[in-house]
Amino acid sequence: MDAGLKRELEDKVSAGERLTRADGEALYASDDLVWLGRLAHQKRTERNGDRVMFNVNRHLGLEEAVATASELRDEQLTELHIAGGLHPTQPWEYYPRVLRELKAALPDVALKAFAATEIHWFEGISGLPAEEILDELIDAGLESLTGGGAEIFDSEHAAHWDDWSRIHRLAHAKGMKTPSTMLYGHAEEPRHRVDHVLRLRELQDETGGFQVFSPLRYRHDFVDPADGTGRDRPQVSTPMAEPAESLKTFAISRLLFDNVPHVKSWWVAHGLSVTQLSLNFGADDLDGSAVEYEITHDADGHGAPHPMHREDLLNLIWDGGFQPVERNTRYEVVREYEPPVPLAQRRAEPQRVWA
């Protein structure tokens, strides 16, 4: 990128002008990661200061959530993030019934469940329109959809975007706030990432219903031919996005998606070091699972950490030089945390590099 275009983009960002598709593609073409981070951090700081939000939640399958609901009462959760899946035999009536059971067992815990793809699936098995499905799920205790099922939107998969956006538009019209995501680092090109974010930005202009945008690094499922065991290792033909590419994606997402309040870095997808660095590249929110996330840390460098507790997340944020703020699903502040030593002193000392 030549110096003139750099200055032009800097001026637009400083003036608060909306970046265009061409601007987004130019940013992805830049190899100046420090410059990109500085621009994104400027916008992140203007909007959210030095605060980093996180929540305490559990990610569970639907049946697992029901089985363990009574055990979760004392974990000080604010959110239960439920992955339902497209079950081939369960009837539609099963899903609102389970939500009611969970809400009765955990009345103070917000239920965040079902991606747009699952709501579309419920349309097919029930014969009901999405509007009626959402009404019944909300009545049963659903507080937010998940952002999953987004992958990469593009013109070659128009029906996918049409259904995803239709269902989130309906949810927003009913007063529900939802997350948005982008799965990157598989078969897409930078222009597809730009297009994906701009579609979401346009829908946000219309509804204002997205609370957060989360770029999710694609993780390959590798089956070892020696024993048929599935392992979390990159496929040779399409290696996973490297840390620099992840940080670039966070920065450009923050710069392009100018009307979404928060950009989230999910530490399970990116690893702890990249997650901490992302706080200087536009991110201001960490997903929870602070109580426990049952995922194995593999020595091959995937970066999927051991279970994280609240104190671990607090130290991750403090060591990055930021102020932790615990939130709930609605992004309301639950508690603000002061560091055990002043942040200025903490910043001045060498801090732990997270594996």
Side-chain angles (χ1 to χ4, degrees):
M1 180 185 295
D2 64 51
L5 181 53
K6 263 190 173 182
R7 284 194 299 272
E8 179 183 332
L9 290 169
E10 287 175 354
D11 290 343
K12 290 182 77 169
V13 170
S14 295
E17 292 183 35
R18 173 161 279 188
L19 300 184
T20 66
R21 185 180 302 270
D23 292 335
E25 293 179 8
L27 290 170
Y28 268 111
S30 171
D31 59 1
D32 191 339
L33 190 60
V34 173
W35 175 73
L36 286 170
R38 180 169 58 80
L39 288 181
H41 192 63
Q42 174 184 333
K43 301 312 292 183
R44 172 243 197 274
T45 304
E46 287 175 3
R47 182 179 283 273
N48 295 302
D50 67 353
R51 293 152 60 96
V52 174
M53 290 191 144
F54 72 95
N55 66 337
V56 180
N57 67 6
R58 288 286 289 270
H59 288 232
L60 298 171
L62 193 58
E63 293 181 1
E64 184 185 6
V66 174
T68 61
S70 60
E71 301 171 13
L72 301 175
R73 290 174 184 156
D74 298 327
E75 292 196 3
Q76 296 181 313
L77 303 180
T78 59
E79 176 184 283
L80 198 57
H81 185 125
I82 302 165
L86 307 180
H87 198 284
T89 60
Q90 290 287 8
W92 146 244
E93 292 79 9
Y94 167 78
Y95 298 96
R97 183 174 72 247
V98 167
L99 290 188
R100 287 189 171 90
E101 291 175 11
L102 287 172
K103 199 63 183 175
L106 300 166
D108 298 324
V109 176
L111 302 181
K112 182 178 182 178
F114 310 126
T117 50
E118 292 169 299
I119 302 298
H120 185 45
W121 171 263
F122 297 157
E123 287 183 296
I125 64 174
S126 70
L128 298 172
E131 185 168 10
E132 292 183 27
I133 287 169
L134 287 170
D135 282 340
E136 186 159 353
L137 292 175
I138 291 169
D139 183 66
L142 184 67
E143 190 154 320
S144 175
L145 298 178
T146 69
E151 284 78 46
I152 287 286
F153 302 128
D154 61 54
S155 57
E156 297 174 8
H157 302 90
H160 173 48
W161 163 249
D162 289 345
D163 284 327
W164 195 96
S165 60
R166 171 178 61 87
I167 288 165
H168 278 267
R169 185 180 286 108
L170 283 170
H172 297 169
K174 295 179 182 300
M176 186 180 286
K177 298 292 187 180
T178 66
S180 56
T181 64
M182 176 179 70
L183 189 66
Y184 71 93
H186 44 99
E188 89 286 356
E189 298 174 12
R191 62 186 175 88
H192 295 123
R193 297 182 201 174
V194 173
D195 179 75
H196 184 103
V197 171
L198 293 186
R199 288 170 186 259
L200 292 171
R201 187 175 78 178
E202 183 177 354
L203 183 54
Q204 180 75 338
D205 280 340
E206 177 187 339
T207 69
F210 292 125
Q211 288 180 309
V212 64
F213 176 65
S214 182
L216 299 171
R217 183 177 66 154
Y218 179 65
R219 295 186 59 180
H220 301 287
D221 293 323
F222 174 80
V223 178
D224 192 331
D227 58 6
T229 302
R231 305 186 192 281
D232 288 331
R233 294 181 179 166
Q235 297 172 350
V236 175
S237 59
T238 54
M240 293 199 312
E242 295 292 336
E245 188 66 22
S246 293
L247 294 175
K248 176 185 281 192
T249 300
F250 275 106
I252 297 171
S253 297
R254 177 67 283 176
L255 291 167
L256 283 177
F257 207 164
D258 55 21
N259 55 355
V260 71
H262 304 284
V263 172
K264 179 190 293 183
S265 183
W266 191 35
W267 49 266
V268 175
H270 297 98
L272 297 179
S273 288
V274 170
T275 293
Q276 191 177 64
L277 285 169
S278 73
L279 301 179
N280 289 285
F281 283 78
D284 68 285
D285 183 40
L286 306 183
D287 201 350
S289 304
V291 175
E292 182 179 4
Y293 194 89
E294 295 178 356
I295 188 164
T296 301
H297 179 66
D298 200 345
D300 62 9
H302 251 53
H306 290 292
M308 292 281 282
H309 298 261
R310 181 187 276 106
E311 193 65 29
D312 297 316
L313 283 182
L314 291 174
N315 281 312
L316 180 75
I317 296 166
W318 280 326
D319 288 349
F322 294 90
Q323 179 67 42
V325 178
E326 187 174 342
R327 62 167 176 83
N328 59 21
T329 302
R330 296 176 294 279
Y331 279 79
E332 297 167 340
V333 173
V334 174
R335 181 181 172 188
E336 299 194 27
Y337 294 84
E338 293 299 325
V341 297
L343 277 181
Q345 179 182 338
R346 203 171 180 107
R347 290 184 180 120
E349 299 172 354
Q351 299 298 327
R352 174 182 176 184
V353 175
W354 293 82

